[in-house]
Every structure is written in structure tokens, then in C-alpha cells.
Amino acid sequence: MITVENRLFILETERTAYCFRAREDGVLEHLYYGARLGRREDYEALAPVYRHQPGNAVVLESGAALERMDQEVGTAGWGDSRECAVDVIFPDGDSSASFRYFHTMRPELDTPAGLPAAAGEGETLQVVCKDQRHEVYLNLYYTVFPETDAIVRWARLSNDTDGAVTIRRLMSQQIDLPRGDYLLHTFRGAWAREMDHVTAPISGRQTWGARVGVSSSRCNPFAMVSAADATERFGAVWGLNLLYSGNHIGVVERGPYGGVRVIQGMDGLTWHLAAGESFDTPQAVSVFSVSGFGGMSVQMHRFVRRHIVRGEWQYRERPVLVNSWEAMYFKVDRRKLLALGKEAKALGAELLVLDDGWFRGRKDDTAALGDWQEDTGKLPGGLGGLCKDVQALGLDFGLWMEPEMVSEKSDLFRDHPDWILGHADQALGRNQYVLDLSRADVCDYVYQAVADVLSSADISYIKWDMNRIFSDTWSSTAAPERQGEVCHRYVLGLYSILRRLNAAFPHVLFEACASGGNRTDLGMLCFMPQVWASDNTDVLCRVGIQNGYSYGYPQSVLGCHVSASPNHQTLRRSPLDSRLQVACFGLLGFELDLGDLPKGQRESLKQQVAFYKAHRRTLQFGQLYRGNVSDNETVWTAAATDGSEALTLHFCALNGPNEPMRRVRCGGLTPDALYRVTNLPVTPHLHDFGSLVNMMSPVPIKPDSLTAQLAEHFVKLEPDSIDLTASGLGLMRQGFVPVQHFSGTGYDGGTAVMRDFDSRLYLLERQEEPQAAPAAEEK
């Protein structure tokens, strides 16, 4: 709900409030952002009063110093030395802006031109400010989504002068926080190392962001600011994100009087705003919670599911897929693909995805990008024939493409060398150039190329890749004064292509990929309902990567695959069960040659895939909660929205001897309901014990010998199991104790044989009435 009373603006969600006022001198003074207070009068009554300003402070005509004041929008000049949200040069060369309150509007619907916007019903406030010296207007937009505690903001700058205005910075949101001890949480990394959670005390000026043309795995747009004492369940946490897929920046700065300013928006922009034109920023979103990082994540996840992801796949369960890449890389042929498809169908998969290597001239990564013609030597019958063969197996068919790129060795580059971004002698990434999507003719080509492929066969899924960053950002068709606009115009061009494809092919499931998570952001999720989280499928790395994503992105948007052991990125060996269980907390897929697995493993995977599909709704769209997380242990719970069931993962990185008993704390349960807790069985094998089996064996058994193989065949060990009933409140506050882990010679048939990088998956089912214990247990 938005309330406007005598130049006081109160934006309220179900649990939070955001408040500012237009002072008599026209400055928009920020008053409060946090948990809702008891009375609306409190927001203004508890605000500071600015009177005499000592020392060398620059003061306004009202006597107030902007440098000391919390504001809605900081500008360059007028005595505020802190980071500014607006930095422009007016037609007369003046760069000192002072936007003062002009009037207020309540628009029915207004969204940034050409940019994605949060969908769904929300209440919007438009506050118009005018520069004191020039006919330039700053429109500030606020949309409140009460049920998710989200506030979406963006800005529009309108030039009503007779000359051009140069925009050097125009941020999407600014939040001024009062004095206090805060931490900045950013999510940094690189290829195969996405979403590393980095925490630092806020002192001085700190930034997060990327200037590589995409939102980037180097630093995701999502960030958090927290009170220094905040924990997973308690304390003040602000979550911030940007609906944008290009260069971005966030800045936090502790000012000279102890307050902290937070700004976020586009970076690397110089925009020539001609007379009569307007410029719109991307939307930014913020959520606040007093329930710690977990409470913030719950609300941010709800916002993404309800207001970012849209279309037919918004709440539709995603198929279990098998991707061809790590099974055959570029060595694609129809026979191998159909063999993989038969194994996929037997496993219980529903979608076969043909990755790179399917088009003419594509024998490696040095050629043919841009020439999207099927290679009939590899695929007799083409994509259409292959698709029919795959569907005859009972599977849907998906395809990989990289439409934004072109190889130097390609017909497209030979015909249109001017279509690339930058010059031809630039340094290459993965032997390819970036197509210049700031040009309408290039955008038309890319759209038509993808549309032609989608029209050639019954393709239900597209993995849309982008395997390099920008280096040269010069456009052959842009005027010199417009070159600073190229990166943003590229993003606008990309969005225009995706908007057209969504309209023409609404049934297709698009997955955003950019060398893994190099373009995971809310902008792409407005057009593609899921992302490929990382090219790294190593189970230990994936736990860290998926845990990092979990702070700002729900598991319903994250592609997570089971791959071979040793892993192709790290050469680490890990248990197959744990690889699958970690991937279950996302959109499950497989990326390996299933035919290479032993028969027993294939049968085990088949059972576990059936389990995943039976609980897919909860695992994909349930609310994710992080439990007790440490350097060595990770606990996740995906809880059904109605509390009927939950699934909890307990992952241990390294298994130590004689360790203390652990407790696994869950989340999202109905407090006064009873839940039965069982685990997905994991059966140990004799070879797990190595030569230790000789302690009990009447004859010596050498590891990997024929005798060992015979013993493995005839001696079957029992899986560890747990079966208990407890209240939801108890399971959330106290937690349950897993089966004791094996240590030394302490195996008794019920002990949990936990190897390094191992896990257990637990099912929690709500019981109408407490169940009586089995007779065997009553003895």
C-alpha cells in the first residue's frame, strides 16, 4: 500500500515500510526502510531535524547540508561529496544538478522502454523532480509488491531543453541507511567458480559489479547489506538486485557522518540525450527482512517466481533432461545420439538435448558459429528426422545454439565482416566475435536464424549459450558521440530478439547459458525461465555454487546436472548418489554417457529419478531453506508451500573419524504438525571398505581382484535408514540426529558409510495423526 500525505510518502508491504518526504526546500529526504512501525506518524516524528551545520559544510538556503542528510537521490554538486545516483552534463556545460520535488503521479502502468519489468499487480508511485536551473525532469518510480515485501524502483530522465544532455550516470535505486555497523555481501567468481559469497565490513567506499558486457560470473548483480550481527534466522538484511543483463555497478559508502549510502544501476554508460528525448534505467528490486538471510531469501525467491519468471513455464514442472555435451562433445552423430536417447528413456528422463557440434562445419570451437545449417553428414534426415526419431523413443527434443556469436571461419563473417562488435583485429574469446546487436539489421538476422531452426523441427527446448565477454565495444554504424551507448543498445537489441521469440514460440522452454553462469540475472529470467548455473558439475563445487545462488535465486530457475566421475572440470571422484542428490535441489539433468555406467548404478539412478519426479513439485517450486551450513557441512530443505512435505539434503565435504553427533535442522514445516522422517536408502558396498574387509573375511581379499568381485556379488550390505516422527517445530528448532557415521571398525549393518563428498536425502511427510511404532520397535 502506498500512502501520500502532505508530501510524506509511505510505501508499505506486508512486513516492511519505506518512507521519504519532500522537504520545503524540495529535497527528497529519505526517512526509513525496515520493518513496519506501529504508527504511521512514527516515520516522520522520529526523523532527524537538521539545523546549524558546523565547519566547512555546504548548506542549502534552508540551512541543511546535503552531505549530512539521508536522501532519495544524490546528485553531483551542491555540496554532497558522497557517491551520486545522477551525474549529467547540461547543454550549457553545467554538471551540478539539483533535482527538487515537482509533483506526484499515480500511473496505472508505466515500465522502462525496451527493458524487462516486474510482472503482476503492484501499486506504483511516480515522483517527478525538476532541476533548479534547467528544463530537465527526473521521474522516480516505485512499485510495491506487498506479498513478497519487494519494492521495485527505476528512473526516467526527460530532456525538455533545446540542447543535448549527456548522461554519465543514472542509477536505478539509492538507499541511505542510518549510522550502524553493516556488512556487504557480494557474490563473485569466474568461469566454473560462480557465486562465491564474499563478506566485508562496510567502511569507506566499496563496489560490486562488472564491465564485460554481461552481468557476469565475475560479480553477480545480486548483493546483500546486513546488520553486522545478522544470522541465517535473525537480524536486519536488505537484498538488492537489478533487472538487467549488461554492465552494472553497485556502490556502498560510509559517509563522513557515519551513514551508509547504497546505489545500484548500469555502469560504463555515456548517453547522448537529445532535446525532447527521455532515457529509462533498468528496474531494481529490494527486499528487507528482520528474519536474517533466510527471511530475505524467502521473499526474494517469491518475488522471482511470481513477478520475474512468466509465460507457460512460470509454474510448470521442468523435464528431467539428458544433455549430449560431456557424453560426446563435438563427436556428434545420429547413432550415438539415439543410443543415448534409449538410455535416457530407460533412466526416466523426458528430454534429450543435442548440444554443440550439430551444424555444418562445426568440428571444434574454431569455426561455423553463425551458419546455423544442420550437418546432414552427422545427422542424416536433418534436425527434423532426428527429432522424430527421438520422439519415437518417448522423449522430447532440445537443442543448443549460440546466436549472439560468429566465428571468423564462417560464411556469415565472410559475407558481413562489419556485423561484429569492435574491429576484426581484436583479441578473440573462444575463437569467436560478438555480433553487434546494437544494430537492427543484425538483430533481425539473429531472430530469423533462430526462428528458422525452431520451425524446422518440433523443438521444445533451447539452450541459449554465449561463450565470451566483450572486449571491443565499438560499433561500425554508431556516430562517435554515440559509442558510449553501444553496450546498452546491445542489451536492448538482445531483449528485442528474445521478446519476439517468446511471442512466436511460447511453448519453447529457453534456458539462458553463458559459459555457465556468466549471465545469470533477473533481466534474462524475464525471457528465459531458467539458467544453466555453471559449467562446473563437480559435486563439491556445485554445493558451494548452488548455495551462493540460493541467497537471491530460487532453485526453480537453476539447471543442475549429474556428470561423470572423475569430474571433467576438477578430475575429482565423488559418489554417484551425492551427485544426484545435490542436483535434485534444482532442475535435474544428466550430462554423461549413461551407457558407461554399470548396470547396478543405472538401476539405482532409475529409482532415484522416479523419486525425484514423485517429489518434483516440492524440489523445484517448494521454498528453499538453508540449515546449519559450515565449511564442511551443508543442509538444504525444500518445503512444499502447504507444509505437506519437505525434502532435506545433508552434505558432508570431508568425512572425519570419530566426529561429534550432528543435528540437521529443517525449515518451512508446519510447527504444530507431526512429520515422519525417512531417508532415501544408500547401500554401501564391500569395495568402499578396501582392505579393511580382511578383518572379517575368512580368506584374504585383495582390492579389485576376482575374489573381491565375487564377494561383492554375493555379500550384500544393508543401507542405513532412519524412521522417526517429530513435530515441525522440533525439527526446525532442535533438528534430528542422522544415523551415526562409520568410524574405524564400527560398522554394524546400520551405520551410515559416509565417504568424502557424500550426502543423505531425507523425506519429511506430514502425518494427520501420530503413527504407532511398529511392533518390532515396541519390543
Side-chain angles (χ1 to χ4, degrees), residues 223-239:
M224 302 181 294
V225 173
S226 74
D229 59 354
T231 66
E232 184 65 25
R233 300 188 179 194
F234 304 100
V237 179
W238 293 262

Side-chain angles (χ1 to χ4, degrees), residues 95-356:
S95 61
S96 184
S98 179
F99 289 98
R100 304 295 177 91
Y101 176 72
F102 190 63
H103 65 85
T104 305
M105 301 174 65
R106 303 291 284 270
E108 290 293 323
L109 179 64
D110 202 353
T111 57
L115 291 162
E121 294 185 4
E123 188 176 0
T124 299
L125 171 70
Q126 178 184 359
V127 176
V128 182
C129 299
K130 180 184 175 299
D131 182 71
Q132 282 194 306
R133 300 181 180 134
H134 309 88
E135 290 296 316
V136 178
Y137 295 85
L138 179 65
N139 297 264
L140 303 177
Y141 292 85
Y142 305 77
T143 300
V144 175
F145 295 98
E147 79 287 356
T148 64
D149 290 333
I151 299 175
V152 171
R153 299 174 60 180
W154 61 283
R156 171 177 290 156
L157 193 72
S158 299
N159 179 12
D160 285 358
T161 70
D162 295 330
V165 173
T166 300
I167 301 175
R168 296 189 292 193
R169 172 182 279 185
L170 186 59
M171 294 288 100
S172 298
Q173 68 176 344
Q174 173 180 316
I175 302 171
D176 281 2
L177 300 175
R179 288 186 62 179
D181 293 328
Y182 300 101
L183 300 177
L184 173 65
H185 304 258
T186 55
F187 295 84
R188 302 174 184 268
W191 174 79
R193 292 191 288 105
E194 292 89 345
M195 298 301 287
D196 183 23
H197 183 181
V198 178
T199 303
I202 295 178
S203 177
R205 179 184 184 274
Q206 294 146 278
T207 67
W208 76 96
R211 296 184 70 170
V212 294
V214 291
S215 50
S216 182
S217 54
R218 288 151 180 80
C219 192
N220 195 269
F222 173 75
M224 302 181 294
V225 173
S226 74
D229 59 354
T231 66
E232 184 65 25
R233 300 188 179 194
F234 304 100
V237 179
W238 293 262
L240 313 164
N241 211 337
L242 197 63
L243 281 70
Y244 192 61
S245 308
N247 295 331
H248 64 97
I249 189 172
V251 183
V252 293
E253 181 184 17
R254 185 177 295 279
Y257 295 96
V260 169
R261 172 165 292 177
V262 185
I263 60 173
Q264 187 178 26
M266 292 184 296
D267 194 21
L269 177 76
T270 303
W271 193 273
H272 182 85
L273 191 66
E277 292 183 345
S278 295
F279 179 83
D280 294 349
T281 72
Q283 290 187 339
V285 59
S286 64
V287 299
F288 171 81
S289 177
V290 292
S291 299
F293 303 105
M296 183 281 305
S297 292
V298 167
Q299 297 309 96
M300 189 65 83
H301 289 190
R302 288 174 178 167
F303 173 77
V304 173
R305 287 194 299 263
R306 297 179 187 182
H307 303 295
I308 295 297
V309 179
R310 60 205 67 186
E312 293 188 13
W313 289 95
Q314 181 176 13
Y315 294 115
R316 184 174 167 186
E317 293 179 11
R318 313 296 163 74
V320 177
L321 67 83
V322 173
N323 183 289
S324 70
W325 180 240
E326 290 191 10
M328 57 191 72
Y329 290 100
F330 289 105
K331 298 176 180 179
V332 171
D333 70 50
R334 176 181 175 277
R335 179 189 58 81
K336 289 192 294 185
L337 284 166
L338 293 180
L340 183 63
K342 290 176 182 178
E343 294 288 355
K345 180 62 179 177
L347 180 71
E350 299 148 320
L351 170 66
L352 180 67
V353 178
L354 172 54
D355 210 283
D356 199 354

Side-chain angles (χ1 to χ4, degrees), residues 654-725:
L654 297 179
N655 187 36
N658 195 28
E659 290 191 337
M661 299 292 282
R662 300 167 167 88
R663 284 194 177 273
V664 174
R665 296 182 181 87
C666 308
L669 307 178
T670 305
D672 57 355
L674 289 176
Y675 287 85
R676 182 186 181 192
V677 182
T678 57
N679 66 302
L680 192 63
V682 176
T683 302
H685 300 278
L686 279 183
H687 66 255
D688 293 328
F689 295 89
S691 61
L692 186 61
V693 298
N694 289 316
M695 180 180 179
M696 301 298 295
S697 174
V699 296
I701 300 177
K702 293 183 178 180
D704 300 323
S705 66
L706 178 60
T707 306
Q709 294 176 27
L710 289 171
E712 189 83 46
H713 180 74
F714 288 104
V715 179
K716 302 299 182 183
L717 304 180
E718 292 297 319
D720 59 276
S721 64
I722 190 171
D723 193 338
L724 62 87
T725 301

Side-chain angles (χ1 to χ4, degrees), residues 54-65:
N56 60 358
V58 176
V59 298
L60 303 177
E61 62 274 15
S62 61

Side-chain angles (χ1 to χ4, degrees), residues 492-625:
L492 293 174
L494 172 63
Y495 289 155
S496 71
I497 295 168
L498 299 181
R499 194 173 288 111
R500 293 168 68 185
L501 288 171
N502 284 170
F505 303 96
H507 308 304
V508 173
L509 172 60
F510 286 92
E511 178 174 273
C513 174
S515 298
N518 200 41
R519 194 165 57 187
T520 297
D521 58 70
L522 299 186
M524 292 303 291
L525 286 172
C526 287
F527 302 99
M528 301 186 179
Q530 62 190 61
V531 298
W532 176 227
S534 176
D535 283 347
N536 188 349
T537 52
D538 173 84
V539 68
L540 179 63
C541 297
R542 263 302 180 128
V543 166
I545 290 168
Q546 290 173 220
N547 199 70
Y549 275 120
S550 74
Y551 285 91
Y553 300 91
Q555 72 277 17
S556 58
V557 305
L558 301 175
C560 303
H561 292 182
V562 179
S563 61
S565 178
N567 176 263
H568 288 201
Q569 289 77 51
T570 65
L571 299 182
R572 195 191 326 272
R573 297 181 183 273
S574 59
L576 180 59
D577 293 319
S578 64
R579 280 177 272 151
L580 184 134
Q581 290 171 12
V582 169
C584 280
F585 283 77
L587 309 176
L588 177 63
F590 293 84
E591 194 152 338
L592 74 166
D593 191 338
L594 297 170
D596 289 345
L597 295 175
K599 181 179 178 181
Q601 288 192 349
R602 292 202 301 271
E603 185 60 34
S604 175
L605 279 181
K606 180 179 179 180
Q607 295 173 6
Q608 294 188 64
V609 168
F611 178 88
Y612 174 84
K613 290 161 72 173
H615 303 282
R616 172 163 39 190
R617 191 80 202 165
T618 298
L619 286 165
Q620 291 186 357
F621 293 97
Q623 183 57 53
L624 187 74
Y625 296 87

